[in-house]
């Protein structure tokens, strides 16, 4: 320090704060920003404010896609989520060509989005690359390990299968790219073998003890994946086992968790057992509460439920209510409001939670990205000075817009 100059760094760190707001009624709504900038402390300098508003929640699903496309880890769950995101990106690009213009303008606000996000040909290449990466994690018995070198896992395989079959339902191109690399048939044969073994163990226990062991914790997941893939992909024996599993689960519905109940409702609806599905949905609705953030499940205050688990339960409930119970608009809007309130900056915390949210929003909604409104957002100083104006009708797609100050 006596002979050379030393750089003195500030004792500060860049922070990003978010303040979500929801407007669900007509008229003027004033939103105070006092919570931002550490309550306007003098030391909080280099302040920047961005206000983002849309009349269409589907846009938040689309905006999350780029943050899943390039996984930080090459694990099976992240790769499967990225594959699903890639399929949706290609579908959005084909369905809404003008989305490229929006992506170009948004790229100026973040370094996480590239020019290839809504390029159909680039996404086809990415699908192929992700499929090859997934294939490296697939074992000879058809299962998937979490990371390379790990043994195959039933839980991981079910999670990967769910994302891949959801992707296959979205676009045919994604299905073609997938089966070129991943051995989907071997994956399903592995799941059938594992569940068959569980079912036989259940039957032996019932014969010896006169009561049900209630199978394994993966039964509902397996039934969900099986009906998502389509029962036409199963032989007669496997189909018979599926119906046996459903019967055993429904024999003691009280033992089902909320997540399993929602999964079972979706399964029953896909199998054409509408009355039983509606019965489960009625029991699910009893647990919903309408709070400030929207319609959601209220958990006991004396317990701990991780945010990932809450997201998984909520998105499965949204699918169950939409499929089996015919959720009305007010209920759908309330569930969407809670889901959007859980968004952290550009995603929902993890790739799996993010793609669950994307699935719930994009699959469960009847509207598309071309919704137009005449809403207007004004950004004013405390003295009433107008800083910026955002009109949703200026956007050619959905009314998504951003203003900065």
């Amino acid at each position: 320090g006596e002979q050379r100059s030393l750089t003195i760094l500030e004792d500060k760190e860049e922070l990003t704060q978010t303040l979500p707001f929801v407007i669900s009624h007509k008229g003027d709504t004033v939103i105070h920003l006092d919570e931002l900038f550490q309550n306007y402390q003098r030391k909080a300098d280099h302040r920047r404010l961005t206000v983002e508003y849309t009349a269409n929640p589907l846009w938040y699903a689309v905006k999350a896609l780029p943050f899943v496309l390039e996984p930080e880890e090459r694990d099976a769950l992240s790769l499967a989520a990225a594959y699903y995101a890639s399929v949706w990106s290609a579908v959005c690009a084909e369905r809404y060509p003008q989305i490229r213009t929006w992506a170009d303008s948004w790229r100026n606000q973040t370094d996480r989005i590239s020019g290839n996000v809504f390029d159909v040909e680039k996404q086809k290449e990415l699908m192929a690359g992700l499929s090859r990466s997934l294939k490296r994690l697939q074992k000879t018995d058809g299962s998937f390990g979490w990371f390379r070198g790990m043994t195959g896992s039933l839980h991981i395989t079910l999670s990967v299968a769910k994302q891949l079959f959801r992707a296959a339902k979205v676009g045919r191109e994604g299905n073609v790219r997938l089966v070129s690399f991943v051995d989907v048939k071997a994956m399903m044969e592995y799941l059938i073998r594992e569940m068959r073994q569980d079912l036989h163990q259940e039957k032996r226990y019932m014969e010896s003890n006169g009561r049900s062991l209630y199978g394994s914790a993966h039964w509902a997941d397996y039934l969900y994946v099986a009906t998502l893939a389509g029962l036409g992909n199963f032989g007669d024996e496997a189909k018979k086992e599926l119906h046996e599993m459903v019967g055993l689960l429904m024999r003691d519905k009280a033992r089902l968790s909320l997540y399993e109940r929602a999964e079972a409702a979706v399964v029953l609806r896909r199998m054409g057992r509408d009355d039983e599905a509606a019965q489960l949905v009625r029991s699910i609705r009893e647990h919903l509460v309408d709070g400030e953030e929207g319609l959601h499940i209220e958990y006991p205050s004396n317990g701990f439920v991780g945010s990932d688990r809450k997201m998984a339960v909520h998105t499965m409930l949204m699918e169950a209510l939409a499929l089996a119970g015919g959720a009305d608009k007010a209920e759908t809007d309330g569930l969407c409001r809670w889901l959007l309130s859980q968004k952290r900056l550009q995603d929902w915390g993890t790739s799996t939670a993010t793609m669950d949210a994307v699935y719930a929003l994009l699959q469960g909604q009847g509207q598309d990205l071309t919704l137009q409104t005449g809403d207007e957002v004004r950004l004013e100083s405390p003295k009433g000075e107008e800083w910026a104006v955002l009109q949703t009708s200026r956007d050619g797609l959905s009314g998504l817009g951003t203003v900065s100050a």
Side-chain angles (χ1 to χ4, degrees):
E2 295 177 355
Q3 297 179 7
R4 297 182 181 179
S5 298
L6 295 178
T7 303
I8 300 176
L9 302 177
E10 286 186 304
D11 185 20
K12 293 182 180 180
E13 184 177 342
E14 185 174 329
L15 298 176
T16 301
Q17 291 176 278
T18 59
L19 180 64
F21 63 91
V22 176
I23 301 173
S24 56
H25 58 275
K26 294 182 178 179
D28 295 340
T29 301
V30 177
I31 297 156
H32 298 282
L33 307 178
D34 301 19
E35 298 177 24
L36 301 180
F37 307 117
Q38 295 181 315
N39 292 319
Y40 290 92
Q41 286 190 15
R42 285 182 298 174
K43 292 183 179 180
D45 50 11
H46 303 297
R47 304 173 186 176
R48 294 188 303 274
L49 175 66
T50 298
V51 179
E52 186 179 276
Y53 175 83
T54 180
N56 190 339
L58 272 64
W59 259 109
Y60 288 106
V62 173
K63 283 198 67 177
L65 295 177
F67 297 87
V68 184
L69 283 171
E70 299 177 5
E72 296 179 1
E73 301 288 346
R74 308 300 286 182
D75 64 282
L77 299 183
S78 298
L79 290 170
Y83 183 85
Y84 182 34
S86 181
V87 173
W88 260 119
S89 296
V91 168
C92 287
E94 289 179 333
R95 194 176 296 173
Y96 309 104
Q98 62 269 51
I99 202 171
R100 293 288 298 276
T101 304
W102 164 80
D104 290 339
S105 65
W106 189 40
R107 197 176 304 121
N108 298 327
Q109 303 171 36
T110 176
D111 58 359
R112 282 292 303 274
I113 181 172
S114 71
N116 300 330
V117 172
F118 298 107
D119 184 313
V120 176
E121 294 306 316
K122 293 294 183 182
Q123 287 307 315
K124 289 178 181 178
E125 293 176 13
L126 181 58
M127 287 178 214
L130 292 168
S131 297
R132 282 192 291 266
S133 296
L134 277 170
K135 178 59 180 175
R136 295 188 191 103
L137 298 177
Q138 190 173 22
K139 307 301 177 183
T140 55
D141 65 354
S143 65
F144 284 88
W146 187 15
F147 283 90
R148 198 167 185 179
M150 289 187 172
T151 56
S153 160
L154 177 58
H155 170 71
I156 296 296
T157 306
L158 282 168
S159 298
V160 169
K162 181 172 74 170
Q163 297 288 9
L164 297 185
F165 283 125
R166 282 178 173 179
K169 293 290 184 183
V170 173
R172 179 183 175 279
E173 185 63 43
N175 196 30
V176 170
R177 301 282 164 181
L178 175 66
V179 297
S180 300
F181 300 98
V182 175
D183 194 339
V184 177
K185 182 181 178 182
M187 175 182 71
M188 291 308 298
E189 288 175 348
Y190 164 79
L191 292 176
I192 291 171
R193 284 196 306 272
E194 290 293 310
M195 292 298 100
R196 181 170 292 157
Q197 184 177 334
D198 262 7
L199 184 59
H200 289 168
Q201 181 181 350
E202 172 80 8
K203 289 179 178 178
R204 286 195 298 269
Y205 186 88
M206 289 177 66
E207 289 174 2
S208 302
N209 299 276
R211 60 187 180 87
S212 173
L213 184 64
Y214 180 57
S216 81
H218 297 296
W219 278 22
D221 292 335
Y222 171 66
L223 290 168
Y224 178 91
V225 167
T227 53
L228 180 64
L231 297 183
N233 296 309
F234 292 80
D236 291 341
E237 185 180 1
K239 283 182 185 176
K240 180 183 176 182
E241 290 165 349
L242 288 172
H243 286 283
E244 284 185 274
M245 285 183 179
V246 172
L248 289 169
L249 285 180
M250 294 300 292
R251 181 180 295 179
D252 194 0
K253 297 185 288 290
R255 296 175 66 177
L256 294 175
S257 67
L258 277 174
Y259 183 80
E260 290 171 324
R261 216 173 295 180
E263 272 190 313
V266 173
V267 168
L268 290 167
R269 181 68 178 85
R270 289 174 181 160
M271 296 177 78
R273 297 165 66 165
D274 296 350
D275 291 342
E276 292 172 280
Q279 185 181 0
L280 283 178
V281 165
R282 283 194 294 273
S283 70
I284 291 170
R285 283 195 169 101
E286 295 173 0
H287 296 270
L288 290 173
V289 295
D290 198 358
E292 236 178 83
E293 294 182 330
L295 201 60
H296 64 285
I297 297 293
E298 191 169 47
Y299 294 92
S301 57
N302 61 347
F304 174 77
V305 181
S307 58
D308 266 18
R309 186 61 181 171
K310 288 181 181 179
M311 282 292 303
V313 172
H314 190 86
T315 52
M316 189 57 68
L317 288 177
M318 288 180 68
E319 184 177 1
L321 292 170
L323 270 181
D328 57 32
K329 187 178 185 306
E331 188 173 60
T332 300
D333 288 348
L335 292 166
C336 282
R337 282 207 320 274
W338 186 89
L339 185 58
L340 294 174
S341 74
Q342 305 306 301
K343 194 166 185 269
R344 299 295 177 257
L345 294 181
Q346 302 300 344
D347 59 21
W348 277 268
T350 67
S351 59
T352 301
T354 297
M355 293 319 295
D356 281 345
V358 168
Y359 180 80
L361 290 169
L362 291 177
Q363 292 283 5
Q365 303 299 307
Q367 53 188 338
D368 58 26
L369 295 177
T370 57
L371 174 69
Q372 296 291 322
T373 70
D375 297 351
E376 183 177 87
V377 177
R378 293 180 179 274
L379 192 59
E380 298 180 350
S381 71
K383 296 180 181 180
E385 301 167 335
E386 187 176 281
W387 286 341
V389 179
L390 181 152
Q391 289 182 319
T392 61
S393 56
R394 292 177 184 173
D395 191 284
L397 282 172
S398 71
L400 177 80
T402 303
V403 292
S404 300

